Structure formats: structure tokens, C-alpha cells
Amino acid sequence: MNKDKVYLKGYVIGHAADTLGYQGLLVQLENLDVVEIDKNLVHKKIDEPQLIKLKDVIARIKDFDSGTQIVWLDAILNELGSDYGILKYKTGYEQGRFEGEYVGQQLKDADKVRQELNKPVVKQFVADWYEEHKSNLDYELWDYVSDWKDQKPSEFKEWFNKSNKAFQTLVNMHQFGYEVGKEKKYKVKFKNIQSGTRYLKYDGVIEKWYFGINQDSNATRLCHTKEELEEAGFGEVFDSPLFEVEEVEK
């Protein structure tokens, strides 16, 4: 006779008995087969807690509706300890918040770079005109160009007329902001002449350079940039012994 012992592992799911005093147990094996075993052959007490498998718990919870699932999960986390539940939720929250903040910051940085790249550096008279007309810029630009002949001579009109990017510059100022470039300006005058018409000036009406008195007007400019002087053919005044060049703050 074979003396080898055989163990069957499963869950008690019912009972069996007869009039002769036999008592048996219905056991569901892991392969889901159900067998009947004499109670005396079961090595565990019938009231001993059965082992619970995680997969069975998960399967049970999955069968619940969403509201019951939340109740069960909260109860399990609380039973394990409030710190455990809080830690899990906090870890997920912090990770999500970090990733969200990172993406948000990347977008902000990209937008900041875009603004800086498109922010024009303009002269003060351009900034002055923009600030005066920015509340209705589209109309003001159209009106300025439509009445071009009636616009008084000014540095802005001269710049607008010569620049091939005047419109784009003003639009970029409106969208991205602007900076006023610090540009040196100079007064040029004949040396050794004490008074009279000895200052180099530019008349915006007739678009001519001439020597006049030490005074600005709407039509004339007394102070000039180095670029303006060089374009007009007066670049040599900076090195000529005949002229005195005075830097002014504008």
C-alpha cells in the first residue's frame, strides 16, 4: 500500500453529513474543482481563518460600483494607518503638481524668450508717439498715413518716411513691449565764432542742412546722432579742427 501523503489545498465552501454520523466538508480546490473530504482528514480547524489572497480581494473590489470601491479603499488605507494613505495620495499629488508646474514654467519661459526676441529697441520720439496713440493704434496709424501731407515735420515723420519697418516696429511695440535705446546726440558748431549762425541744424520741411542759431524748433533739429551726421556727409566734424562737437543728453 502506498503510504505517501497527499494534501489538497482549497477553501471550505459547505458541509456534508449522513445518518450514520459521517461529517464531511465540501472543499473548492484552486483549480475550482469541488471535492468532499471527511472532516477528520482536514488538518485545520473548521473555524480557523482561511488565507486571503490579494488577487481575490482585488477581484472582489472590482465587482463593486465606483462609490463602494471608494468606501472600501478609504477604509483599507485608514486601517493601514492614516500616514500610509496620506503618503500615497500626497506622493501622487506632488508628482502631478511638479510635472504640471514644470510644463507650465517651460511654456512661460518660451513665451518670455519669444517676447524678448520680438521686443524692439526704439528711439525716444518713436516711444513718445506710440504712448500718445496706443489706445487706438490701428486707427491712428491709418489716420497718420492718410493725412501724410498735413503732418507737421518731426523726427517721427522723418523716421516713418525713411524706415521700411515702421509699421512692423509699432505693431511689435504693441504686442511685446519695447525699450528705448540710449543714443548719443551731438551739437556741432564752428570754433572761434562767439555768436550768430554757427550751429549745424537740419530743417525737416525743406530737408536741408544749414548753420543757424542755438535753438530748436518744430521744423529744425539742433542735436543729431552720429549716424545722421555720417549719412549727411558730416562724419568728419568729429576729427576736424574747424568744428567743436558737444555731446548732449536727449
Side-chain angles (χ1 to χ4, degrees):
M1 179 179 179
N2 194 335
K3 301 279 187 178
D4 293 340
K5 293 182 179 181
V6 176
Y7 294 94
L8 298 177
K9 187 176 181 181
Y11 299 95
V12 176
I13 61 172
H15 303 272
D18 60 20
T19 57
L20 300 176
Y22 167 80
Q23 292 185 352
L25 297 175
L26 298 178
V27 179
Q28 186 179 46
L29 304 179
E30 288 189 338
N31 64 0
L32 301 183
D33 289 341
V34 178
V35 296
E36 182 179 331
I37 301 175
D38 190 321
K39 177 181 178 181
N40 296 319
L41 298 178
V42 177
H43 75 284
K44 292 183 179 181
K45 294 182 180 179
I46 196 168
D47 58 350
E48 181 177 346
Q50 300 297 310
L51 293 175
I52 300 176
K53 294 184 177 181
L54 177 60
K55 66 178 183 178
D56 297 322
V57 175
I58 294 175
R60 179 73 181 277
I61 293 175
K62 282 183 175 180
D63 289 336
F64 297 149
D65 59 78
S66 59
T68 305
Q69 287 178 354
I70 293 174
V71 172
W72 270 57
L73 291 173
D74 286 343
I76 291 171
L77 292 174
N78 288 331
E79 191 67 26
L80 290 172
S82 59
D83 290 343
Y84 179 83
I86 292 172
L87 177 62
K88 295 295 288 182
Y89 283 126
K90 183 177 180 181
T91 301
Y93 168 76
E94 292 293 342
Q95 180 66 20
R97 188 182 70 173
F98 171 78
E99 292 176 355
E101 288 179 350
Y102 176 77
V103 173
Q105 188 59 50
Q106 290 295 99
L107 292 175
K108 287 181 180 179
D109 290 344
D111 187 61
K112 185 176 180 180
V113 171
R114 182 176 66 89
Q115 290 189 23
E116 289 300 320
L117 289 175
N118 289 281
K119 182 189 293 184
V121 179
V122 299
K123 297 180 180 180
Q124 185 62 57
F125 61 82
V126 177
D128 291 341
W129 189 95
Y130 169 77
E131 290 298 329
E132 184 179 348
H133 301 88
K134 66 180 180 181
S135 61
N136 197 8
L137 186 62
D138 289 348
Y139 172 79
E140 296 290 352
L141 278 171
W142 173 84
D143 185 62
Y144 190 84
V145 175
S146 298
D147 297 333
W148 180 259
K149 292 182 179 180
D150 296 329
Q151 300 297 338
K152 295 180 180 180
S154 65
E155 288 183 299
F156 179 80
K157 184 178 182 180
E158 183 184 343
W159 168 80
F160 200 100
N161 187 41
K162 291 182 178 179
S163 174
N164 58 0
K165 294 183 178 179
F167 276 104
Q168 187 63 50
T169 298
L170 290 164
V171 170
N172 284 353
M173 290 170 69
H174 204 62
Q175 284 187 300
F176 308 111
Y178 64 91
E179 293 180 4
V180 177
K182 294 181 178 180
E183 191 172 24
K184 294 180 180 180
K185 289 197 172 184
Y186 305 91
K187 283 184 179 181
V188 179
K189 64 181 178 180
F190 277 117
K191 287 184 178 180
N192 303 320
I193 297 179
Q194 300 302 317
S195 61
T197 57
R198 60 184 182 137
Y199 285 87
L200 181 62
K201 304 177 74 170
Y202 178 79
D203 190 317
V205 176
I206 61 175
E207 298 184 350
K208 298 292 184 180
W209 293 81
Y210 68 100
F211 284 91
I213 61 174
N214 185 18
Q215 185 177 348
D216 269 325
S217 69
N218 290 333
T220 60
R221 285 191 287 107
L222 181 64
C223 302
H224 322 284
T225 66
K226 186 174 183 179
E227 180 183 0
E228 290 170 341
L229 291 168
E230 289 175 343
E231 287 181 353
F234 295 106
E236 294 181 359
V237 297
F238 291 94
D239 301 314
S240 174
L242 299 177
F243 297 96
E244 179 181 334
V245 180
E246 176 188 356
E247 183 178 330
V248 295
E249 294 183 3
K250 277 283 186 176

